[in-house]
Amino acid sequence: MEQVIIFDHPLIQHKISILRDKNTGTNEFRALVEEIAMLMAYEALRDLPLKDEEVTTPIETCMTPKIAGRKLAVVPILRAGLGMVNGILALVPSAKVGHIGLYRDEVTHEPHEYFCKLPAPIEERTIVVTDPMLATGGSAVAAVNFIKEHGGKKIKFMSIIAAPEGLNRLQEAHPDIQIYVGHLDRCLNKDAYICPGLGDAGDRIFGTK
Ligand code: PRP
Ligand code: URA
């Protein structure tokens, strides 16, 4: 399996274009982030393990595949990653949800941890880390570091928009994880915002600015 998947599906591209528009309001923005996360998860979860189970249909009994093993863990990076969780839970309602709280220092752009709670046993679960924005990559690398320190092994990272700088940094720091990106943008600006990007994802999801 390839380490990085950059989506080219027209539905995802169309929805990302609406997200970028500064006139898109909080309600619509939230709904679109969920929808995009759901479309991305459909592809990102194509390697979930299956096990045949016996099912009796109205016609006969057969062996038929169901998702096997420990339940999936969805781990949003707070705050903005929270916006993607319900889209994934729509596909996998039984998934467990962990949280990693990180904020980016406005001057150094380095991430600071303020919360970490993961569903046990994390080492036995497929883990999907969500954050709509992969900018410098500092938050993503730190989040995956924490998860590995807690024993996490099978890790997938999903972001809606990535900058080349962040994608390269995450790939180099964690060559063993799968990375799913809705769109790869041009670059970062001097404030480490993604260009053209969509602005501050957390503020747009939660209406805080
Ligand atoms: C944003 C975004 C990512 C991070 C990306 O979060 O949601 O977590 O920045 O930047 P990086 O790749 O350079 O680390 P922010 O720190 O603004 O916190 P918020 O989600 O609470 O708004
Ligand atoms: N975080 C955001 O929310 N947007 C960016 O462009 C960069 C980091």
Side-chain angles (χ1 to χ4, degrees):
M1 186 184 291
E2 289 185 34
Q3 196 208 351
V4 179
I5 302 228
I6 299 176
F7 288 86
D8 57 3
H9 196 289
L11 285 174
I12 294 181
Q13 298 313 309
H14 178 81
K15 289 174 195 290
I16 290 176
S17 297
I18 303 173
L19 279 188
R20 291 187 192 281
D21 189 330
K22 66 180 168 71
N23 295 315
T24 298
T26 301
N27 268 357
E28 195 183 0
F29 194 91
R30 251 185 225 145
L32 285 163
V33 166
E34 273 188 36
E35 287 168 19
I36 294 166
M38 181 164 65
L39 292 168
M40 291 176 70
Y42 177 75
E43 179 61 29
L45 299 179
R46 68 159 52 250
D47 63 345
L48 282 182
L50 292 170
K51 186 164 177 260
D52 276 350
E53 285 186 18
E54 191 175 278
V55 168
T56 304
T57 78
I59 310 299
E60 62 179 32
T61 295
C62 63
M63 295 302 285
T64 191
K66 288 194 176 174
I67 306 286
R70 285 282 182 184
K71 293 190 170 55
L72 183 77
V74 183
V75 180
I77 301 179
L78 306 181
R79 292 174 300 165
L82 277 176
M84 299 171 72
V85 172
N86 284 346
I88 302 174
L89 293 182
L91 296 181
V92 193
S94 62
K96 308 284 182 186
V97 181
H99 296 89
I100 294 185
L102 292 175
Y103 70 90
R104 214 170 63 143
D105 184 280
E106 283 182 10
V107 177
T108 65
H109 307 135
E110 281 306 307
H112 293 269
E113 185 200 1
Y114 59 87
F115 189 77
C116 183
K117 179 92 182 162
L118 301 172
I122 197 69
E123 62 278 9
E124 293 177 22
R125 302 182 189 278
T126 298
I127 303 155
V128 180
V129 184
T130 62
D131 192 330
M133 308 306 277
L134 180 56
T136 65
S139 305
V141 169
V144 176
N145 283 342
F146 290 138
I147 292 170
K148 287 184 173 174
E149 281 161 22
H150 285 82
K153 292 189 176 68
K154 189 163 187 220
I155 302 170
K156 295 167 182 280
F157 186 89
M158 271 178 45
S159 72
I160 294 179
I161 296 183
E165 295 89 330
L167 181 57
N168 291 338
R169 183 166 166 189
L170 182 59
Q171 265 187 286
E172 278 169 23
H174 296 292
D176 55 323
I177 70 168
Q178 253 98 48
I179 306 169
Y180 300 86
V181 172
H183 195 274
L184 185 61
D185 273 17
R186 200 176 70 248
C187 62
L188 296 176
N189 68 14
K190 66 173 178 27
D191 298 317
Y193 273 83
I194 301 176
C195 304
L198 49 70
D200 188 305
D203 283 343
R204 295 197 65 188
I205 290 169
F206 295 106
T208 42
K209 217 175 247 175

